[in-house]
Amino acid sequence: MHLNTRVLFLWLLLSLPILNFAQNCNCESNFLWVKKTFEENDAGFQYIISKKGRDAYELHNKMYLEKIKQLPNNQECATLLNQWIRFFRNGHIGINYIGKTKKDEKVTEQNKQPIEKDLNPLNATKPFFEKLNENTVYLRIPDFEISEKKAIDSIILANRATILSTENFIIDVRNNPGGSDASYGSLIPFLYTQPIRTVGALFYSTDLNNQRMLELSQNPDFDEESKKTFKNYYEKLQANKGEYVDLFNKKVNITKLDTIQPYPKNIGIVINENNGSTTEQFLLTAMQSKKVKLYGRTTKGMLDISNVNIVTSPCGDIELYYGLSKSYRIPDFPVDDIGLQPDVFIDKTIDPKNWLNFVRDHLNGK
């Protein structure tokens, strides 16, 4: 076949399903698109099918398809699709409706305004640092998104001398949903007591999945060296389509630092049920330190299948969230839908407003 003819044929082949979906924008067509896209691209699809069985999955599909056929293509449809996809897991997955409903711009702008830390640390939108007493310093990190890395690094650098001369260090990551592993890198020197083992992951290579890696290589929030690395990963993935690819050529990465800081002596990390993804990866790292204790509640449990990709349906009214990578930890040490438990559980008799006082007193031996 002539090259141009082959290219045209391939384009038509890929376009036909999309055109079909676009011409029939109803709940059923959105379901069929979500199902097909998820099955072909999610890194955890086969893992869950191997655990729950194909028969259970087909029964699940049949039950939901009967409901979906009765619905118009609206918010209610998206909600049902979101319920359907929970067959697989609760984290790094989902359906978001982006149709006709519009957000209240005033509310959106109001939510963007930073809230003073002394009202409630959980309402803060940016990281902040505070010295609680002569023995204890406090760092609040609401988010590990890559866009927050500069702010996190800056506040840590500005207070480095204080942290390194204070006995107790509280790091509050409650409600931090995750983001990028690079965002917590500047915290590691304070935590480090021995080599840190980080279990790697395999990336599932498809054209749709690999596009995200290409986009990362063009993201201005990363430095040039990082963007070059992402480009190399993209090329490696493209060369191994349909396979799980070890981008780092190792199952476990071991981090060794030259210095163990004498201070802080004790580090308390405050966690809750809204922590997931990169925040849980940070906790897995921190838990290996002899200095660290986790305080609070069991985390959300969304780390085994990770590195989320977001794609929009051909109808343009829903977004599908799914995972690109699968951890080498599973099935031996699963986190998804289980979570990470604290060393010191904070029970419901302690008011959330008093959690920090509790952790501070516990670190000070009171």
Side-chain angles (χ1 to χ4, degrees):
M1 185 181 292
H2 190 273
L3 179 60
N4 289 339
T5 305
R6 290 177 62 187
V7 171
L8 178 61
F9 175 77
L10 180 60
W11 182 88
L12 288 171
L13 185 63
L14 293 173
S15 299
L16 282 173
I18 296 176
L19 291 172
N20 184 55
F21 282 124
Q23 291 170 356
N24 299 283
C25 286
N26 53 46
C27 193
E28 184 177 356
S29 68
N30 263 340
F31 169 70
L32 294 175
W33 172 81
V34 166
K35 181 175 179 294
K36 183 175 188 295
T37 304
F38 185 82
E39 289 177 350
E40 293 179 353
N41 296 281
D42 181 71
F45 173 74
Q46 290 297 340
Y47 171 66
I48 295 300
I49 292 301
S50 68
K51 289 178 62 178
K52 294 189 174 182
R54 175 65 67 171
D55 290 344
Y57 178 52
E58 294 301 337
L59 183 62
H60 179 75
N61 291 336
K62 181 180 179 181
M63 180 179 66
Y64 271 87
L65 187 57
E66 290 175 358
K67 297 179 182 179
I68 285 165
K69 285 182 176 180
Q70 302 172 20
L71 291 179
N73 195 39
N74 56 15
Q75 177 71 61
E76 188 179 354
C77 171
T79 299
L80 195 62
L81 294 179
N82 199 43
Q83 294 171 2
W84 169 84
I85 209 167
R86 300 297 159 181
F87 175 87
F88 297 93
R89 58 186 182 273
N90 287 320
H92 289 149
I93 201 172
I95 303 294
N96 184 35
Y97 184 70
I98 56 173
K100 295 180 180 180
T101 303
K102 294 183 178 179
K103 295 181 180 179
D104 187 330
E105 295 297 327
K106 292 182 179 180
V107 172
T108 302
E109 290 301 316
Q110 183 179 358
N111 289 341
K112 290 181 180 179
Q113 298 299 317
I115 300 173
E116 292 299 322
K117 63 180 182 296
D118 56 348
L119 294 179
N120 185 349
L122 294 186
N123 291 333
T125 59
K126 294 292 181 181
F128 68 84
F129 180 87
E130 185 176 10
K131 189 162 187 175
L132 300 181
N133 57 39
E134 63 179 16
N135 297 319
T136 311
V137 292
Y138 171 79
L139 175 65
R140 168 68 179 147
I141 305 179
D143 207 315
F144 279 133
E145 278 297 330
I146 189 60
S147 58
E148 297 300 311
K149 175 175 168 55
K150 291 180 181 178
I152 296 170
D153 290 350
S154 177
I155 202 165
I156 289 175
L157 181 61
N159 296 282
R160 184 174 185 274
T162 302
I163 297 172
L164 291 176
S165 60
T166 306
E167 185 173 358
N168 301 318
F169 184 19
I170 297 175
I171 303 171
D172 187 353
V173 295
R174 285 176 293 171
N175 296 344
N176 185 327
S180 169
D181 291 3
S183 295
Y184 63 74
S186 55
L187 285 170
I188 302 306
F190 303 108
L191 310 174
Y192 185 83
T193 60
Q194 59 210 15
I196 299 169
R197 298 175 64 87
T198 303
V199 178
L202 295 163
F203 283 75
Y204 189 47
S205 175
T206 69
D207 283 326
L208 186 61
N209 293 353
N210 300 348
Q211 181 64 28
R212 179 177 177 272
M213 194 66 74
L214 183 61
E215 291 169 357
L216 288 175
S217 73
Q218 301 165 350
N219 189 326
D221 288 323
F222 291 103
D223 57 32
E224 290 304 316
E225 183 178 353
S226 296
K227 288 192 284 187
K228 183 178 179 180
T229 299
F230 286 130
K231 185 63 181 300
N232 290 336
Y233 291 160
Y234 168 74
E235 292 172 354
K236 185 173 182 178
L237 287 166
Q238 283 292 92
N240 295 277
K241 291 181 186 177
E243 299 178 13
Y244 285 91
V245 181
D246 186 345
L247 294 177
F248 316 107
N249 297 319
K250 57 176 68 174
K251 291 185 177 181
V252 178
N253 181 65
I254 301 176
T255 301
K256 295 182 180 180
L257 301 183
D258 295 331
T259 304
I260 299 175
Q261 300 291 350
Y263 284 84
K265 286 186 177 181
N266 309 301
I267 299 174
I269 302 178
V270 193
I271 63 175
N272 68 6
E273 61 279 359
N274 296 320
N275 294 138
S277 192
T278 288
T279 306
E280 289 177 311
Q281 186 60 56
F282 166 64
L283 297 177
L284 286 177
T285 297
M287 288 162 60
Q288 299 178 54
S289 170
K290 296 178 182 178
K291 296 182 177 185
V292 170
K293 281 188 177 180
L294 307 184
Y295 292 80
R297 306 273 175 82
T298 302
T299 62
K300 188 171 186 177
M302 47 179 289
L303 186 62
D304 302 337
I305 309 299
S306 58
N307 288 288
V308 170
N309 196 23
I310 305 172
V311 291
T312 303
S313 68
C315 292
D317 55 356
I318 63 170
E319 290 177 330
L320 165 65
Y321 295 70
Y322 68 91
L324 300 172
S325 65
K326 178 176 67 173
S327 174
Y328 272 123
R329 284 183 291 96
I330 57 174
D332 302 317
F333 180 25
V335 174
D336 281 6
D337 301 334
I338 298 172
L340 299 172
Q341 294 192 354
D343 298 295
V344 180
F345 172 63
I346 299 181
D347 61 74
K348 291 184 179 180
T349 65
I350 301 174
D351 192 289
K353 295 179 181 179
N354 294 325
W355 277 30
L356 292 185
N357 292 335
F358 175 86
V359 176
R360 180 198 61 199
D361 292 344
H362 196 276
L363 289 175
N364 283 278
K366 295 183 180 180

